[in-house]
Amino acid sequence: MTHAGHAGTAVPVVGWLVTVLLVLVPAAAYAALVRARGRPWPPLRTASTVAGLVLAALAVSPLLGPHDPRGHMVQHLLLGMVAPVALVLGAPGTLLLGALPVARRGVARAVLRSRVLHVLTHPVTAAVLSVGGLHVLYLTPLHALAAADGTVRALVDVHVLLSGVLFAWAVAGPDPAPRRPSVTTRAVVLVLAGGAHAHLAKLLHAHDLHGLRDAAPLMYYGGDLAELLLAVALFASWYRARPSPVSGPRRRAHPASPHPDRPRRSRVLPPPGTAVQVDAGQA
Amino acid sequence: MDAPGGPVQRGRSMLVAAAIGVGLMAAVDEIVFHQILAWHHFYDRATPAIGLLSDGLLHTAEIVVLVAAGFGFADLRRRGALAPVSAWAGLFLGAGGFQLFDAVVDHKLLRVHQVRYVEDLLPYDLAWSGSGVLLLLVGAVLARRGRREGAPVRGSGR
């Protein structure tokens, strides 16, 4: 970080070294937890985590200088929105709980049940910390301060990443959580937070704050992308968790398996199901 | 109207498809008129503050509604509860409703933006509202046709 000023010379070796370490160290910890778990772990979760680490590290790598407005915006999009979604879809909480020795699980359970954690991980808290934090950054002198001071900039980056992870986890995280708010609550918070984010982007554009006029559309449409990813993650989990009378097309493909508990439904459902497909195609 | 546990859910089919109609119409507006024709823009410098805020909220609500409706539709199909005619009715009603809302509320009341920045705006406004009304009419006709949907299926099932 202290060598960021040397960018003029050749390849900023230290910057890239930090970037590589930012990927390798957490990835190694994740891999160690997967091994400690003992049972199989979905490879897609690992892939998602690695992708999130790579994106977050690229955001703070020498590739994106903070002094170019568009580079600054891409950095914030990656660090605060895209990388957090990928990291959260890696289900770090589930992995951590599964890898814990049995003796320590009581402690973990107590932490998970604590009121402080519930307040902190509520979607509204997370939205205030992440999107509210962005308002503080752009509507107060903090942005100018961060541009001048490397330490402030690093702290802002850490806050952007952590609050982004918290928001993604609170809205669409696959980890189990006691007293997680309903899908409706989480969807409403997602819309409100997204609206506030889009509004801030338009303010940056309208008043050319910090010379970010040309970067503001990136913030606006990048916010859409993050919102889309979170909405898909949220409603996909709703879809998977929803009890279906006939449990999916897989069950329907084997009509031999009887449903003694619901004989009426299993007889009724397949014909209209096929009729529906034909009708939808013709209409 | 929403019969949980009943084989065909007419009301739910219509509602989910209407949400898809809203999302599709919004997407057409965004892609064709904002991006391809560039008749109106990301921000036109004439938008008042309330328009700016409501635009941000409407825009993000569209995305979430479209995704939610997509999974809701998949769920209806999975359970064989989809009523196709009612769903088509909902799609047209949603698309027409959004078009009329965009023409009246977004353009005229909130003045988020105008259809196109020309001297005589009237033909454009009429085209916007007229297409909305037309879509709503198609939806209404389909909704009438879909009223009996589900009844025979339920009868034959028992």
Side-chain angles (χ1 to χ4, degrees), chain A residues 187 190-192 194-195 198-199 201-203 205-206 213 216-217 220-221 224 227-228 231-232 235-236 238-239 242-245 248-249 252 264-265 267-269 272-273 276-277 279-280 283, chain B residues 4-9 12 30 34-35 41-43 45 49 52-53 55-57 59-61 63-64 67-68 71-72 74-75 77-84 88 112 149 153 157-158:
Chain A
L190 179 58
V191 168
L192 293 178
H199 181 234
K202 293 216 178 197
L203 284 184
H205 186 81
R213 167 159 286 161
Y220 185 81
Y221 292 111
D224 284 2
E227 190 195 353
L228 183 67
V232 168
F235 288 102
W238 168 84
Y239 183 79
R242 197 170 157 76
S244 58
R252 224 180 287 171
R264 190 169 61 100
R265 240 171 233 168
R267 227 186 311 133
V268 171
L269 269 173
V276 159
Q277 281 174 351
D279 285 356
Chain B
V8 170
Q9 297 188 333
R12 200 181 165 88
E30 291 257 319
H34 288 236
Q35 310 285 345
H41 293 275
F42 166 69
Y43 174 67
R45 299 189 190 202
L52 219 56
L53 183 60
D55 186 50
L57 283 172
H59 180 71
T60 50
I63 295 175
V64 169
V67 173
F71 281 102
D75 182 57
R77 286 202 57 164
R78 170 170 74 176
R79 294 185 291 125
L82 187 73
W88 280 106
V112 170
E149 237 176 351
V153 175
R158 277 176 186 159

Coordinates of all heavy atoms in Angstrom, one line a residue, chain A residues 187 190-192 194-195 198-199 201-203 205-206 213 216-217 220-221 224 227-228 231-232 235-236 238-239 242-245 248-249 252 264-265 267-269 272-273 276-277 279-280 283, chain B residues 4-9 12 30 34-35 41-43 45 49 52-53 55-57 59-61 63-64 67-68 71-72 74-75 77-84 88 112 149 153 157-158:
Chain A
A187 N -36.8 -8.5 0.2 CA -37.0 -7.9 -1.2 C -37.3 -6.4 -1.1 O -36.7 -5.6 -1.9 CB -38.1 -8.6 -1.9
L190 N -34.1 -4.6 -0.4 CA -33.3 -4.6 -1.6 C -33.8 -3.5 -2.5 O -32.9 -2.7 -3.1 CB -33.4 -5.9 -2.3 CG -32.6 -6.1 -3.6 CD1 -31.1 -5.9 -3.3 CD2 -32.8 -7.5 -4.1
V191 N -35.1 -3.3 -2.7 CA -35.6 -2.3 -3.6 C -35.2 -0.9 -3.1 O -34.8 0.0 -3.8 CB -37.1 -2.4 -3.8 CG1 -37.7 -1.2 -4.4 CG2 -37.5 -3.6 -4.6
L192 N -35.5 -0.7 -1.8 CA -35.2 0.6 -1.2 C -33.7 1.0 -1.2 O -33.3 2.1 -1.6 CB -35.7 0.7 0.3 CG -37.2 0.6 0.5 CD1 -37.5 0.6 2.0 CD2 -37.9 1.7 -0.3
G194 N -31.5 -0.3 -3.3 CA -31.2 -0.1 -4.7 C -31.6 1.3 -5.2 O -30.9 2.0 -6.0
G195 N -32.8 1.7 -4.8 CA -33.3 3.0 -5.2 C -32.5 4.1 -4.7 O -32.2 5.1 -5.4
A198 N -29.3 4.2 -6.8 CA -29.5 4.8 -8.1 C -29.7 6.3 -8.0 O -29.2 7.1 -8.8 CB -30.8 4.2 -8.7
H199 N -30.4 6.7 -6.9 CA -30.6 8.2 -6.7 C -29.2 8.9 -6.4 O -29.0 9.9 -7.0 CB -31.5 8.3 -5.5 CG -31.8 9.8 -5.1 ND1 -31.6 10.3 -3.9 CD2 -32.2 10.8 -5.9 CE1 -31.9 11.6 -3.9 NE2 -32.3 11.9 -5.1
A201 N -26.4 7.9 -7.5 CA -25.7 7.9 -8.8 C -26.1 9.1 -9.6 O -25.3 9.8 -10.3 CB -25.9 6.6 -9.6
K202 N -27.5 9.3 -9.6 CA -28.0 10.5 -10.4 C -27.6 11.8 -9.8 O -27.3 12.8 -10.5 CB -29.5 10.4 -10.5 CG -30.0 9.2 -11.3 CD -31.2 9.5 -12.1 CE -31.6 8.2 -12.9 NZ -32.5 8.5 -14.0
L203 N -27.4 11.9 -8.5 CA -27.0 13.1 -7.9 C -25.5 13.4 -8.3 O -25.2 14.5 -8.6 CB -27.0 13.0 -6.3 CG -28.4 13.1 -5.7 CD1 -28.3 13.1 -4.2 CD2 -29.1 14.4 -6.1
H205 N -24.1 12.5 -10.9 CA -24.1 12.9 -12.3 C -24.7 14.3 -12.5 O -24.1 15.2 -13.1 CB -25.0 11.9 -13.1 CG -25.0 12.2 -14.6 ND1 -24.0 11.7 -15.4 CD2 -25.9 12.9 -15.4 CE1 -24.2 12.1 -16.6 NE2 -25.3 12.8 -16.7
A206 N -25.8 14.6 -11.8 CA -26.4 15.9 -11.9 C -25.5 17.1 -11.5 O -25.4 18.1 -12.1 CB -27.7 15.9 -11.2
R213 N -19.1 12.9 -12.9 CA -20.2 12.9 -13.8 C -20.1 11.7 -14.8 O -21.1 11.0 -14.9 CB -20.2 14.2 -14.6 CG -21.2 14.1 -15.8 CD -21.6 15.5 -16.2 NE -22.6 16.1 -15.3 CZ -22.8 17.4 -15.2 NH1 -22.2 18.2 -15.9 NH2 -23.7 17.8 -14.3
A216 N -20.8 8.2 -13.1 CA -22.0 8.0 -12.5 C -22.9 7.0 -13.2 O -23.5 6.1 -12.5 CB -22.8 9.3 -12.3
P217 N -23.0 7.0 -14.6 CA -23.8 5.9 -15.2 C -23.3 4.5 -14.9 O -24.0 3.6 -14.8 CB -23.7 6.3 -16.7 CG -23.4 7.7 -16.7 CD -22.6 8.0 -15.5
Y220 N -24.7 3.6 -11.7 CA -26.2 3.4 -11.9 C -26.4 2.0 -12.4 O -27.1 1.2 -11.8 CB -26.7 4.4 -12.8 CG -28.2 4.4 -13.0 CD1 -29.1 5.0 -12.0 CD2 -28.8 3.8 -14.1 CE1 -30.4 5.0 -12.2 CE2 -30.2 3.8 -14.3 CZ -31.0 4.4 -13.3 OH -32.3 4.4 -13.5
Y221 N -25.8 1.7 -13.6 CA -26.0 0.4 -14.2 C -25.3 -0.8 -13.5 O -25.8 -1.9 -13.5 CB -25.6 0.4 -15.7 CG -26.6 1.3 -16.4 CD1 -26.2 2.5 -17.0 CD2 -27.9 1.0 -16.6 CE1 -27.1 3.4 -17.7 CE2 -28.8 1.8 -17.2 CZ -28.4 3.0 -17.8 OH -29.3 3.8 -18.4
D224 N -27.5 -1.9 -10.9 CA -28.5 -2.8 -11.4 C -28.0 -4.2 -11.4 O -28.8 -5.1 -11.1 CB -28.9 -2.4 -12.9 CG -29.7 -1.2 -12.9 OD1 -30.0 -0.6 -11.9 OD2 -30.1 -0.8 -14.1
E227 N -28.0 -5.7 -8.0 CA -29.3 -5.9 -7.5 C -29.9 -7.1 -8.2 O -30.6 -7.9 -7.5 CB -30.2 -4.7 -7.8 CG -31.5 -4.7 -7.2 CD -32.5 -3.7 -7.7 OE1 -32.1 -2.9 -8.5 OE2 -33.6 -3.8 -7.3
L228 N -29.7 -7.3 -9.5 CA -30.2 -8.4 -10.2 C -29.6 -9.7 -9.6 O -30.3 -10.7 -9.4 CB -29.8 -8.3 -11.7 CG -30.3 -9.4 -12.7 CD1 -31.8 -9.3 -12.8 CD2 -29.7 -9.2 -14.0
A231 N -31.2 -10.3 -6.3 CA -32.6 -10.8 -6.4 C -32.7 -12.2 -6.9 O -33.5 -13.0 -6.4 CB -33.3 -9.8 -7.4
V232 N -31.8 -12.6 -7.8 CA -31.8 -14.0 -8.3 C -31.5 -14.9 -7.2 O -32.1 -16.0 -6.9 CB -30.9 -14.2 -9.5 CG1 -30.7 -15.6 -9.8 CG2 -31.5 -13.5 -10.8
F235 N -34.5 -15.1 -4.6 CA -35.8 -15.8 -5.0 C -35.5 -17.2 -5.4 O -36.3 -18.1 -5.4 CB -36.5 -15.0 -6.1 CG -37.2 -13.8 -5.6 CD1 -36.6 -12.5 -5.8 CD2 -38.3 -13.9 -4.9 CE1 -37.2 -11.4 -5.3 CE2 -38.9 -12.8 -4.3 CZ -38.4 -11.5 -4.5
A236 N -34.2 -17.5 -5.8 CA -33.8 -18.9 -6.1 C -33.9 -19.7 -4.8 O -34.4 -20.8 -4.8 CB -32.5 -19.0 -6.7
W238 N -35.9 -18.9 -2.3 CA -37.3 -19.1 -2.0 C -37.9 -20.2 -2.8 O -38.6 -21.1 -2.3 CB -38.0 -17.8 -2.4 CG -39.5 -17.9 -2.4 CD1 -40.4 -17.7 -1.4 CD2 -40.3 -18.1 -3.6 NE1 -41.7 -17.9 -1.8 CE2 -41.7 -18.2 -3.2 CE3 -40.1 -18.4 -5.0 CZ2 -42.8 -18.4 -4.0 CZ3 -41.2 -18.6 -5.8 CH2 -42.5 -18.6 -5.3
Y239 N -37.5 -20.3 -4.1 CA -38.0 -21.4 -5.0 C -37.6 -22.8 -4.5 O -38.4 -23.7 -4.5 CB -37.5 -21.1 -6.4 CG -38.0 -22.1 -7.4 CD1 -39.2 -21.9 -8.0 CD2 -37.2 -23.1 -7.9 CE1 -39.7 -22.8 -8.9 CE2 -37.6 -24.0 -8.8 CZ -38.9 -23.8 -9.4 OH -39.3 -24.7 -10.3
R242 N -39.5 -23.7 -1.2 CA -41.0 -23.7 -1.3 C -41.4 -25.2 -1.4 O -41.0 -25.9 -2.3 CB -41.4 -22.9 -2.5 CG -42.9 -22.6 -2.4 CD -43.2 -21.6 -3.5 NE -44.6 -21.6 -3.9 CZ -45.5 -21.0 -3.1 NH1 -45.2 -20.4 -2.0 NH2 -46.8 -21.1 -3.5
P243 N -42.3 -25.6 -0.5 CA -42.9 -27.0 -0.6 C -43.7 -27.1 -1.9 O -44.6 -26.2 -2.1 CB -43.7 -27.1 0.6 CG -44.1 -25.8 1.0 CD -43.0 -24.8 0.6
S244 N -43.5 -28.1 -2.7 CA -44.3 -28.2 -3.9 C -45.1 -29.5 -3.7 O -44.6 -30.5 -3.2 CB -43.5 -28.3 -5.1 OG -42.5 -29.4 -5.0
P245 N -46.4 -29.5 -4.1 CA -47.3 -30.7 -3.9 C -46.7 -31.9 -4.5 O -46.6 -33.0 -3.8 CB -48.6 -30.3 -4.6 CG -48.5 -28.8 -4.7 CD -47.1 -28.4 -4.7
G248 N -41.4 -31.6 -7.7 CA -40.6 -31.3 -8.9 C -40.8 -32.3 -10.0 O -41.4 -33.4 -9.9
P249 N -40.3 -31.9 -11.2 CA -40.4 -32.8 -12.4 C -39.7 -34.1 -12.2 O -40.0 -35.1 -12.9 CB -39.8 -31.9 -13.5 CG -39.0 -30.9 -12.8 CD -39.6 -30.7 -11.4
R252 N -42.0 -36.5 -11.0 CA -43.1 -36.8 -11.9 C -42.5 -37.8 -13.0 O -43.3 -38.5 -13.7 CB -43.5 -35.5 -12.6 CG -45.0 -35.5 -12.7 CD -45.5 -34.2 -13.3 NE -45.3 -33.0 -12.4 CZ -45.5 -31.8 -12.8 NH1 -45.7 -31.5 -14.0 NH2 -45.3 -30.8 -11.9
R264 N -54.9 -37.9 -4.2 CA -55.7 -37.1 -5.2 C -54.8 -36.3 -6.0 O -55.0 -36.2 -7.2 CB -56.7 -36.3 -4.4 CG -57.7 -35.6 -5.2 CD -58.8 -35.0 -4.4 NE -58.2 -34.0 -3.5 CZ -58.3 -32.7 -3.8 NH1 -58.9 -32.3 -4.8 NH2 -57.8 -31.8 -3.0
R265 N -53.9 -35.6 -5.4 CA -53.1 -34.7 -6.1 C -52.2 -35.4 -7.2 O -52.0 -34.9 -8.3 CB -52.2 -33.9 -5.2 CG -52.4 -32.4 -5.2 CD -51.7 -31.7 -4.1 NE -52.6 -30.9 -3.4 CZ -52.3 -30.4 -2.2 NH1 -51.1 -30.6 -1.7 NH2 -53.2 -29.6 -1.6
R267 N -52.8 -37.9 -8.8 CA -53.6 -38.4 -9.9 C -54.0 -37.1 -10.8 O -54.0 -37.2 -12.0 CB -54.9 -39.0 -9.4 CG -55.1 -40.4 -10.2 CD -56.4 -40.9 -9.8 NE -56.7 -41.0 -8.3 CZ -57.8 -40.6 -7.8 NH1 -58.7 -40.1 -8.5 NH2 -57.9 -40.7 -6.5
V268 N -54.2 -36.0 -10.1 CA -54.8 -34.8 -10.8 C -53.6 -34.1 -11.6 O -53.8 -33.7 -12.7 CB -55.4 -33.9 -9.8 CG1 -55.7 -32.6 -10.5 CG2 -56.7 -34.5 -9.2
L269 N -52.5 -34.0 -10.9 CA -51.5 -33.0 -11.5 C -50.9 -33.3 -12.8 O -50.8 -32.4 -13.6 CB -50.4 -32.8 -10.4 CG -50.8 -31.6 -9.5 CD1 -49.8 -31.4 -8.4 CD2 -50.9 -30.3 -10.3
P272 N -53.0 -31.9 -16.2 CA -53.0 -30.5 -16.4 C -51.6 -29.9 -16.7 O -51.4 -29.0 -17.5 CB -53.6 -29.9 -15.2 CG -53.7 -31.0 -14.2 CD -53.6 -32.2 -14.9
G273 N -50.6 -30.5 -16.1 CA -49.2 -30.1 -16.3 C -48.8 -30.1 -17.7 O -48.3 -29.2 -18.3
V276 N -51.0 -27.7 -19.8 CA -50.5 -26.3 -19.7 C -49.4 -26.0 -20.6 O -49.3 -25.0 -21.3 CB -50.0 -26.1 -18.2 CG1 -49.1 -24.9 -18.1 CG2 -51.3 -25.9 -17.3
Q277 N -48.4 -27.0 -20.8 CA -47.3 -26.7 -21.7 C -47.7 -26.5 -23.1 O -47.3 -25.6 -23.8 CB -46.3 -27.9 -21.6 CG -45.5 -27.8 -20.3 CD -44.6 -29.0 -20.1 OE1 -44.7 -30.0 -20.8 NE2 -43.7 -28.9 -19.1
D279 N -50.8 -25.6 -24.2 CA -51.5 -24.3 -24.3 C -50.6 -23.1 -24.4 O -50.8 -22.2 -25.2 CB -52.5 -24.1 -23.1 CG -53.7 -25.1 -23.3 OD1 -53.7 -25.7 -24.3 OD2 -54.5 -25.1 -22.4
A280 N -49.6 -23.1 -23.5 CA -48.7 -22.0 -23.4 C -47.9 -21.8 -24.8 O -47.7 -20.7 -25.2 CB -47.7 -22.1 -22.3
A283 N -50.7 -20.3 -27.5 CA -51.4 -19.1 -27.3 C -50.5 -17.9 -27.7 O -49.3 -18.0 -27.9 CB -51.7 -18.9 -25.8
Chain B
P4 N -55.3 -21.8 -2.7 CA -54.1 -22.6 -2.3 C -54.5 -24.0 -2.2 O -55.5 -24.4 -1.6 CB -53.7 -22.0 -0.9 CG -54.9 -21.3 -0.4 CD -55.8 -20.9 -1.6
G5 N -53.8 -24.9 -2.9 CA -54.1 -26.3 -2.8 C -54.9 -26.7 -4.0 O -55.0 -27.9 -4.4
G6 N -55.7 -25.8 -4.6 CA -56.4 -26.1 -5.8 C -55.5 -26.4 -7.0 O -54.4 -25.9 -7.0
P7 N -55.9 -27.1 -7.9 CA -55.0 -27.5 -9.0 C -54.6 -26.3 -9.9 O -53.4 -26.1 -10.1 CB -55.7 -28.5 -9.8 CG -57.1 -28.5 -9.3 CD -57.2 -27.8 -8.1
V8 N -55.5 -25.4 -10.3 CA -55.2 -24.3 -11.1 C -55.4 -23.0 -10.4 O -56.5 -22.8 -9.8 CB -56.0 -24.3 -12.5 CG1 -55.8 -23.0 -13.2 CG2 -55.5 -25.5 -13.3
Q9 N -54.4 -22.2 -10.3 CA -54.5 -20.9 -9.6 C -54.6 -19.7 -10.6 O -53.6 -19.3 -11.1 CB -53.3 -20.7 -8.6 CG -53.3 -21.8 -7.6 CD -52.3 -21.6 -6.5 OE1 -51.3 -20.9 -6.7 NE2 -52.5 -22.1 -5.3
R12 N -53.4 -16.2 -9.1 CA -52.0 -16.1 -9.0 C -51.3 -16.1 -10.4 O -50.3 -15.4 -10.6 CB -51.5 -17.3 -8.2 CG -50.2 -17.1 -7.5 CD -49.8 -18.4 -6.7 NE -48.4 -18.4 -6.5 CZ -47.8 -17.8 -5.4 NH1 -48.6 -17.2 -4.5 NH2 -46.5 -17.8 -5.2
E30 N -36.4 0.8 -21.6 CA -35.0 1.1 -21.3 C -34.1 0.8 -22.5 O -33.2 1.6 -22.8 CB -34.5 0.2 -20.1 CG -35.2 0.5 -18.8 CD -34.2 1.3 -17.9 OE1 -33.1 0.9 -17.9 OE2 -34.7 2.2 -17.2
H34 N -34.1 4.2 -24.5 CA -33.0 4.9 -23.8 C -31.7 4.5 -24.5 O -30.9 5.4 -24.8 CB -32.9 4.4 -22.3 CG -34.0 4.9 -21.4 ND1 -33.7 5.6 -20.3 CD2 -35.3 4.9 -21.5 CE1 -34.8 6.0 -19.7 NE2 -35.8 5.5 -20.4
Q35 N -31.5 3.2 -24.8 CA -30.2 2.8 -25.3 C -30.0 2.9 -26.8 O -29.0 3.4 -27.3 CB -29.9 1.4 -24.8 CG -30.1 1.1 -23.3 CD -29.0 1.7 -22.5 OE1 -28.0 2.1 -23.0 NE2 -29.3 1.8 -21.2
H41 N -32.8 10.0 -21.8 CA -31.5 9.6 -21.3 C -31.5 9.2 -19.9 O -32.5 9.3 -19.2 CB -30.5 10.7 -21.5 CG -30.2 10.9 -23.0 ND1 -29.2 10.2 -23.7 CD2 -30.7 11.8 -23.9 CE1 -29.2 10.6 -24.9 NE2 -30.1 11.5 -25.1
F42 N -30.3 8.7 -19.4 CA -30.0 8.4 -18.0 C -30.5 9.6 -17.1 O -31.1 9.4 -16.1 CB -28.5 8.2 -17.9 CG -27.9 8.2 -16.6 CD1 -28.2 7.2 -15.7 CD2 -27.1 9.3 -16.1 CE1 -27.7 7.2 -14.4 CE2 -26.6 9.3 -14.9 CZ -26.9 8.2 -14.0
Y43 N -30.2 10.8 -17.5 CA -30.6 12.0 -16.7 C -30.7 13.2 -17.7 O -29.7 13.4 -18.4 CB -29.6 12.2 -15.6 CG -29.8 13.5 -14.9 CD1 -31.0 13.6 -14.1 CD2 -29.0 14.6 -14.9 CE1 -31.3 14.8 -13.4 CE2 -29.2 15.8 -14.2 CZ -30.4 15.8 -13.5 OH -30.6 17.0 -12.8
R45 N -31.4 16.5 -17.0 CA -31.1 17.9 -16.4 C -32.4 18.7 -16.2 O -32.3 19.8 -15.8 CB -30.1 18.7 -17.3 CG -28.8 17.9 -17.4 CD -27.8 18.8 -18.0 NE -26.6 18.0 -18.3 CZ -25.4 18.5 -18.5 NH1 -25.2 19.8 -18.4 NH2 -24.4 17.7 -18.7
A49 N -36.4 17.1 -8.4 CA -35.8 16.2 -7.3 C -36.7 15.0 -7.0 O -36.2 13.9 -6.9 CB -35.6 17.0 -6.0
L52 N -36.4 12.4 -9.6 CA -35.1 11.7 -9.6 C -35.2 10.6 -8.6 O -34.7 9.4 -8.8 CB -34.1 12.7 -9.1 CG -32.7 12.6 -9.7 CD1 -32.8 12.7 -11.2 CD2 -31.8 13.8 -9.2
L53 N -35.8 10.8 -7.4 CA -35.9 9.8 -6.3 C -36.8 8.7 -6.7 O -36.5 7.5 -6.6 CB -36.3 10.4 -5.0 CG -36.3 9.5 -3.8 CD1 -35.0 8.9 -3.6 CD2 -36.8 10.3 -2.6
D55 N -37.7 7.8 -9.7 CA -37.2 7.1 -10.8 C -36.2 6.0 -10.3 O -36.3 4.9 -10.8 CB -36.4 8.1 -11.7 CG -36.0 7.4 -13.0 OD1 -36.8 6.7 -13.6 OD2 -34.8 7.5 -13.3
G56 N -35.4 6.4 -9.3 CA -34.5 5.4 -8.8 C -35.2 4.2 -8.2 O -34.9 3.0 -8.4
L57 N -36.3 4.5 -7.4 CA -37.1 3.4 -6.8 C -37.8 2.6 -7.8 O -37.8 1.4 -7.7 CB -38.0 4.1 -5.7 CG -37.4 4.5 -4.4 CD1 -38.4 5.3 -3.6 CD2 -36.9 3.3 -3.7
H59 N -37.2 2.1 -10.9 CA -36.2 1.3 -11.7 C -35.8 0.1 -10.9 O -35.7 -1.0 -11.5 CB -35.0 2.2 -11.9 CG -33.9 1.6 -12.8 ND1 -34.1 1.3 -14.1 CD2 -32.7 1.2 -12.4 CE1 -33.0 0.7 -14.5 NE2 -32.1 0.6 -13.5
T60 N -35.4 0.2 -9.6 CA -35.0 -1.0 -8.9 C -36.1 -1.9 -8.6 O -35.9 -3.1 -8.5 CB -34.3 -0.6 -7.6 OG1 -35.1 0.3 -6.9 CG2 -32.9 0.1 -7.8
A61 N -37.3 -1.3 -8.3 CA -38.5 -2.2 -8.1 C -38.8 -3.1 -9.3 O -39.1 -4.3 -9.2 CB -39.7 -1.4 -7.8
I63 N -36.7 -4.4 -11.4 CA -35.8 -5.5 -11.5 C -36.2 -6.6 -10.6 O -36.3 -7.8 -10.9 CB -34.3 -5.0 -11.2 CG1 -33.8 -4.0 -12.3 CG2 -33.4 -6.2 -11.1 CD1 -32.5 -3.4 -12.0
V64 N -36.5 -6.2 -9.3 CA -36.8 -7.2 -8.3 C -38.1 -7.9 -8.6 O -38.3 -9.1 -8.5 CB -36.9 -6.5 -6.9 CG1 -37.5 -7.5 -5.9 CG2 -35.5 -6.1 -6.5
V67 N -37.6 -10.5 -11.4 CA -37.0 -11.7 -10.9 C -38.0 -12.5 -10.1 O -38.1 -13.7 -10.2 CB -35.7 -11.4 -10.1 CG1 -35.2 -12.7 -9.5 CG2 -34.7 -10.8 -11.0
A68 N -38.7 -11.8 -9.2 CA -39.6 -12.5 -8.3 C -40.7 -13.2 -9.1 O -41.1 -14.4 -8.9 CB -40.3 -11.5 -7.3
F71 N -39.5 -16.4 -10.9 CA -39.5 -17.6 -10.0 C -40.9 -18.0 -9.6 O -41.2 -19.2 -9.5 CB -38.6 -17.4 -8.8 CG -37.1 -17.5 -9.1 CD1 -36.3 -16.4 -9.2 CD2 -36.6 -18.8 -9.2 CE1 -35.0 -16.6 -9.5 CE2 -35.2 -18.9 -9.4 CZ -34.4 -17.8 -9.6
G72 N -41.8 -17.0 -9.5 CA -43.2 -17.3 -9.2 C -43.8 -18.1 -10.3 O -44.6 -19.1 -10.1
A74 N -42.2 -20.0 -12.5 CA -41.6 -21.4 -12.5 C -42.3 -22.2 -11.5 O -42.5 -23.4 -11.7 CB -40.1 -21.3 -12.3
D75 N -42.6 -21.6 -10.3 CA -43.2 -22.4 -9.2 C -44.6 -22.8 -9.7 O -45.0 -24.0 -9.4 CB -43.3 -21.5 -8.0 CG -43.9 -22.2 -6.8 OD1 -43.4 -23.3 -6.5 OD2 -44.9 -21.7 -6.3
R77 N -45.7 -23.4 -12.7 CA -45.6 -24.5 -13.7 C -45.2 -25.8 -13.0 O -45.7 -26.9 -13.3 CB -44.5 -24.1 -14.7 CG -45.0 -23.1 -15.7 CD -44.2 -23.1 -16.9 NE -44.2 -24.4 -17.6 CZ -43.8 -24.6 -18.8 NH1 -43.4 -23.7 -19.5 NH2 -43.9 -25.8 -19.3
R78 N -44.3 -25.7 -12.0 CA -43.8 -26.9 -11.4 C -45.0 -27.6 -10.7 O -45.0 -28.8 -10.6 CB -42.7 -26.4 -10.3 CG -42.3 -27.5 -9.4 CD -41.1 -27.1 -8.5 NE -41.5 -26.1 -7.5 CZ -40.6 -25.7 -6.7 NH1 -39.3 -26.1 -6.7 NH2 -40.9 -24.8 -5.7
R79 N -45.9 -26.8 -10.1 CA -47.0 -27.4 -9.4 C -48.2 -27.7 -10.3 O -49.3 -28.1 -9.9 CB -47.4 -26.5 -8.2 CG -46.3 -26.4 -7.2 CD -46.8 -25.6 -6.0 NE -46.9 -24.2 -6.3 CZ -48.1 -23.5 -6.1 NH1 -49.1 -24.1 -5.6 NH2 -48.1 -22.2 -6.4
G80 N -48.0 -27.4 -11.6 CA -49.1 -27.6 -12.6 C -50.3 -26.7 -12.3 O -51.5 -27.0 -12.5
A81 N -50.1 -25.5 -11.6 CA -51.1 -24.6 -11.2 C -51.3 -23.4 -12.2 O -52.1 -22.5 -11.9 CB -50.8 -24.1 -9.8
L82 N -50.6 -23.4 -13.3 CA -50.6 -22.3 -14.2 C -51.9 -22.3 -15.0 O -52.3 -23.4 -15.6 CB -49.4 -22.3 -15.1 CG -49.3 -21.1 -16.0 CD1 -48.8 -19.9 -15.2 CD2 -48.3 -21.4 -17.2
A83 N -52.6 -21.2 -15.1 CA -53.8 -21.0 -15.9 C -53.4 -20.2 -17.1 O -53.2 -19.0 -17.0 CB -54.9 -20.3 -15.2
P84 N -53.1 -20.8 -18.3 CA -52.4 -20.1 -19.4 C -53.2 -18.9 -19.9 O -52.5 -17.8 -20.1 CB -52.3 -21.2 -20.5 CG -52.6 -22.4 -19.9 CD -53.4 -22.2 -18.6
W88 N -51.8 -15.0 -19.9 CA -51.6 -14.1 -21.0 C -52.4 -12.8 -20.8 O -51.9 -11.7 -21.1 CB -52.1 -14.8 -22.3 CG -51.1 -15.7 -22.9 CD1 -51.2 -17.1 -22.9 CD2 -49.9 -15.4 -23.5 NE1 -50.1 -17.6 -23.5 CE2 -49.3 -16.6 -23.9 CE3 -49.2 -14.2 -23.8 CZ2 -48.0 -16.7 -24.6 CZ3 -48.0 -14.2 -24.5 CH2 -47.4 -15.5 -24.9
V112 N -40.4 12.8 -14.9 CA -39.1 12.2 -14.8 C -38.3 12.5 -16.1 O -37.1 12.9 -16.1 CB -39.2 10.7 -14.6 CG1 -37.9 10.0 -14.8 CG2 -39.8 10.4 -13.2
E149 N -61.3 -20.8 -16.7 CA -60.1 -21.7 -16.6 C -60.0 -22.4 -15.3 O -60.3 -21.7 -14.3 CB -58.9 -20.8 -16.8 CG -58.1 -21.3 -18.0 CD -56.9 -20.3 -18.2 OE1 -56.8 -19.3 -17.6 OE2 -56.0 -20.7 -19.0
V153 N -61.0 -28.7 -15.2 CA -59.9 -29.5 -14.7 C -60.2 -30.0 -13.3 O -60.0 -31.1 -12.9 CB -58.6 -28.7 -14.7 CG1 -57.5 -29.5 -14.1 CG2 -58.2 -28.4 -16.1
G157 N -60.9 -33.9 -12.0 CA -59.9 -34.5 -11.0 C -60.6 -35.2 -9.9 O -60.0 -36.0 -9.2
R158 N -61.9 -34.9 -9.7 CA -62.6 -35.5 -8.5 C -63.4 -36.7 -8.8 O -63.8 -37.0 -9.9 CB -63.5 -34.5 -7.9 CG -62.6 -33.6 -7.0 CD -63.4 -32.5 -6.3 NE -62.4 -31.6 -5.6 CZ -62.6 -30.4 -5.3 NH1 -63.8 -29.8 -5.6 NH2 -61.7 -29.7 -4.7

